[in-house]
Amino acid sequence: MSSAVSSTSPSGVEDFFSVCIAGAGAIGCHLAFLLLRAGCRVTLLARGENLARLRREGLCIRVEGELHQLPIRATDLPEEVGPVDYVFCTVKVSSWNSDFVEHLEPLLRPETTVIPPTTSIPHWWFHGVEGAWKGRALASADPAGTIARLIPADRVLGMTMWVSARRDNDVVEVVNTQRGYPLGELDGSVSRRLRRLSNALERGGGLAPVVTEIRAEIFIKVVNSLTFNVVALLGNVGNGMIADSPEAVKTLTAMMLECEKVASVLGLPLRQSAESRIRQTLQARAHVMSMLHDFRRGKPLELQPLWRSFEELAQVVGVQLPITSALVSVAALREQSL
């Protein structure tokens, strides 16, 4: 078991920038692990049993079969942390609201970079976009405009997550890193703050490719999450059984192709076809989609906020989604049964 942590990264490069990660779930803990190994000053915001465990045992995480236990600063009070260079928000999208953002204010100074959740269409989607949708706000993501006021878009970096991780009892287990954590500026530029964060994550042993089309990356991830979780919830099955069902695969394909009409109207370059993404995802036959995992444990699902954000985006650009809408409506009945 690895237990030591140094301010020097495995590559010998030191970078002492400060990071606060709001949300100590599997993804938040994996990011903390990578940044600690890169030499960053990392604090996890946690609460309840998660916080007690971190204070008692440190960060326990299994990556590629190797168990690591590292000391880490953890608190439930942002004011104990103070302003930092980067803030990751790794809470579920259902918790990402104006109250939560106001709670983070002690972490922010004018030059703080914020990486908000992008498991749904984010509030900043139309920032800097020219044409008919210039400056358009998404009410589903930020009903009162509070998030945009507290976290102006020029302070935001976009990120999405292609990492399979879960909490197994008291240990976070990273199962598959896939493409890791693609990062991008909203305007497609390659800035110092972007390179600095990407380099740190990769020094820590992760993947964090710099991309110039972060909206396209987020779009693909949102569509994958929406469609796979709906099919998994409806069938109450993992990837292996989905892969073995031609009708389930046909349903996934129909939903994805329908959703991709939105990308076509927006002019987003999708780097991978729906069929290829389905094949790739279903190769992990033992994997259980996150919302089905939550459903089986009686936890609230992210389906409704995810769908509302995507549905609003489709409505803004004038695309109808009858297949997806019908299937989401039925899948949502699962949550009502909890």
Side-chain angles (χ1 to χ4, degrees), residues 49 51-60 69-72 170-171:
E49 180 53 35
L51 177 59
R53 185 187 302 114
L54 287 164
R55 286 174 166 170
R56 183 175 63 247
E57 302 172 11
L59 178 60
C60 298
Q69 187 170 8
L70 300 93
I72 190 167
D170 292 344
V171 178

Side-chain angles (χ1 to χ4, degrees), residues 21-66:
I21 300 171
I27 293 296
C29 287
H30 185 227
L31 288 166
F33 168 75
L34 297 176
L35 292 167
L36 280 170
R37 283 168 53 87
C40 301
R41 289 173 284 124
V42 182
T43 304
L44 270 171
L45 280 188
R47 58 187 180 182
E49 180 53 35
N50 264 2
L51 177 59
R53 185 187 302 114
L54 287 164
R55 286 174 166 170
R56 183 175 63 247
E57 302 172 11
L59 178 60
C60 298
I61 184 167
R62 183 178 288 109
V63 181
E64 296 180 355
E66 183 178 357

Side-chain angles (χ1 to χ4, degrees), residues 26 92 163-167 173 175-176 178 221 224-225 227-243 280-298 301-302 334:
K92 289 183 177 295
V163 174
S164 297
R166 61 173 180 255
R167 184 176 292 282
E173 183 164 3
V175 181
N176 189 337
Q178 301 173 55
K221 179 62 177 178
N224 265 39
S225 180
T227 55
F228 270 99
N229 276 292
V230 164
V231 170
L233 283 167
L234 288 173
N236 194 19
V237 293
N239 280 8
M241 291 189 69
I242 294 173
Q280 180 177 310
T281 302
L282 293 180
Q283 286 175 1
R285 292 180 60 86
H287 182 66
V288 174
M289 298 306 295
S290 61
M291 292 187 205
L292 179 56
H293 187 270
D294 287 345
F295 173 74
R296 288 174 172 176
R297 284 155 181 75
L301 308 183
E302 292 190 280
R334 286 281 191 188

